[in-house]
Each structure stands twice: as C-alpha cells, then as structure tokens.
Amino acid sequence: MALQTSIDLRVVPANRFSETAADLVAETLRQQADAVVGLPTGNTPMPLYHELVRRCQRGTIDFSKMRVAVLDDFYGIPANSPISFYGWLCRALLDPLGISSERVLRIPTEGPGIERKCAEYERALKEMGGCELQVLGLGGNGHVGFNEPGSARDSRTRVVKLSAASRAASSAYWNGADVPDQGVTTGIGTILEARRILLLVSGARKAEILRRSLTGPISSDVPASFLREAANAVVIADEPAASLLER
Ligand code: PGA
C-alpha cells in the first residue's frame, strides 16, 4: 500500500543516517539553545549519539544549555542500577556532552508512590516548556518508548508490563541479563505533545514494522502508527528499513 500520511519521511543511505539525524538536533538547538530534547536508548540512536559527541568535540553544536528528558527505563531498579537506561544514556551521550544531571529530567524507576512520581514527571516536563524535539526508536513490535501494543493514544507517563519481545530485546542489550518485566514510559499522549518528533528506523529487520506503522491502520496495535497524527513528525529511515515502503 502506498504511503498515506503527511509524515515527513526521509529515506537516506545507511552511511548518511547519523548525519541526517544529527542535523535535525543541531537545527533544534540553533533555534533554541536550551531546548528540551527527549531521548531514547537502544541500538538505533547510538550512531546519532556518536555523531553528536563528534560535533561537540569539533565545537560545531553548542550543547551547553540543552536540556534532556529521558523517554523510558525499567521499573523496579535502583537509581544506580547497571541496567538503567539513564545510566546508558549518561555513558553514551550526556557525560561526553557535559550535560549534568540538573539539566536532565529523569523518568522515575522506583516506588513507593510511582504513580505520583509519574505525574510529577509530567508536571516537570510541562514546567520546562515541554519537549522541543522527541527522538524515538521503533520497537520490533511497533512500540515507541515502552508504549507496547495496546497503549492508548492519550496514555501518559506510567508503569507498563513489558511484552516478551521487548524483554528479550532489552535483555540482549546486557548480554542476556535478566531484566525487569515492567517499564516506566512517557505516554503516547505525552510524546504527541512534543513540538517535533523524530522517529529513527534502521536495518532490514525493521522494514515490516515500519511499513505497518506508516501504511497500516492507525491503532494501538502498532503504537508508532499514532505518530501519523502528530503535527510535526519526521521519520529518518535508512534504505534497508524503508525497503518495503512504496514511494
Ligand atoms: P533498538 O530498539 O533501537 O535497539 O532496535 C528500538 C526500541 O525498542 O525503541
């Protein structure tokens, strides 16, 4: 089925993927130096993060005021857990860019009072002015953040049960370590409020789910399909990921 969406789809050769994504982050920070950028972890954004660190070292992007909101993490892990997504983000990007914890809105990972903490995360994000740019990866099951299939369009930051597929994918990040069966994620409704959304998709194994996300029904069966209703969503896909799209 042909693409029936106003989404801004940019298909790039694999060797242009990280530069294209980094250009969009750079544009955001040029327009607003203290922009809040929502950031994911996972394999997909790593080339982008390497490129941002390179540009920081060269001095071509000013990250000195950038603020960050963490998209998701595991639930039930201590703040300094070796499998924390926040810790991963620190090592991969925040520390090399010199972004200290005062400029980071961390998603809560522990009870008690996790519902209240999730509501506080939402309130703090609003007080920061909301996300100027929300960067996302695409899960093999169509999730964005940990918004698993079944997530409602108006969902907010909350604890979710992780699907077996997402747990297996997450476990692989830590060489098969046991990972929690619950996560905490920014909601679909929260994500859709970002002024701009950047969905990153790379590799042939994401081709079918990208096709379903962009050309299938808009439904909670494929949470990423809701991004087609966002006012300002950009998809950067490399050629293997875009191989099943008719263009
Ligand atoms: P991946 O994960 O980038 O490691 O494929 C994407 C996601 O689950 O958001």
Side-chain angles (χ1 to χ4, degrees), residues 3-229:
L3 211 57
Q4 287 177 337
T5 167
S6 60
I7 216 157
D8 178 355
L9 172 67
R10 303 179 189 178
V11 179
V12 296
N15 64 5
R16 290 286 309 149
F17 185 73
S18 57
E19 283 90 345
T20 309
D23 287 348
L24 216 121
V25 175
E27 187 184 308
T28 303
L29 292 173
R30 256 197 316 274
Q31 286 163 1
Q32 188 184 330
D34 69 347
V36 178
V37 181
L39 293 176
T41 43
N43 292 321
T44 311
M46 288 307 124
L48 164 64
Y49 295 165
H50 293 146
E51 177 62 18
L52 292 178
V53 171
R54 262 196 298 275
R55 292 190 191 191
C56 179
Q57 286 162 349
R58 280 194 224 119
T60 55
I61 305 182
D62 178 7
F63 294 97
S64 63
K65 297 193 176 66
M66 172 174 149
R67 295 173 294 165
V68 167
V70 177
L71 175 70
D72 58 3
D73 212 325
F74 291 120
Y75 176 60
I77 56 167
N80 59 356
S81 166
I83 60 165
S84 139
F85 283 6
Y86 171 69
W88 181 357
L89 200 56
C90 286
R91 290 187 295 278
L93 187 71
L94 305 181
D95 293 348
L97 296 186
I99 298 177
S100 55
S101 56
E102 308 85 76
R103 284 196 274 144
V104 181
L105 178 62
R106 193 172 168 181
I107 201 158
T109 60
E110 282 183 287
I114 187 66
E115 282 179 18
R116 175 183 46 77
K117 290 177 183 176
C118 287
E120 276 166 15
Y121 173 97
E122 289 267 344
R123 203 165 32 245
L125 185 59
K126 273 209 174 72
E127 275 166 18
M128 291 162 81
C131 276
E132 214 54 47
L133 177 67
Q134 174 66 65
V135 183
L136 300 168
L138 176 63
N141 62 358
H143 76 200
V144 283
F146 270 144
N147 290 287
E148 299 282 41
S151 295
R153 188 197 184 285
D154 61 356
S155 53
R156 311 304 302 193
T157 302
R158 68 203 186 286
V159 174
V160 291
K161 175 133 185 59
L162 300 181
S163 65
S166 293
R167 276 190 86 196
S170 294
S171 165
Y173 298 143
W174 285 281
N175 298 319
D178 195 30
V179 296
D181 59 4
Q182 288 178 292
V184 187
T185 186
T186 308
I188 301 277
T190 325
I191 289 170
L192 291 175
E193 283 170 4
R195 245 91 60 206
R196 198 172 205 187
I197 297 171
L198 170 58
L199 178 69
L200 297 174
V201 195
S202 59
R205 71 188 179 87
K206 296 285 175 70
E208 173 59 16
I209 194 63
L210 180 61
R211 188 191 64 75
R212 286 179 65 199
S213 301
L214 297 186
T215 66
I218 295 179
S219 111
S220 59
D221 291 346
V222 180
S225 65
F226 288 122
L227 301 180
R228 283 147 63 193
E229 296 180 347

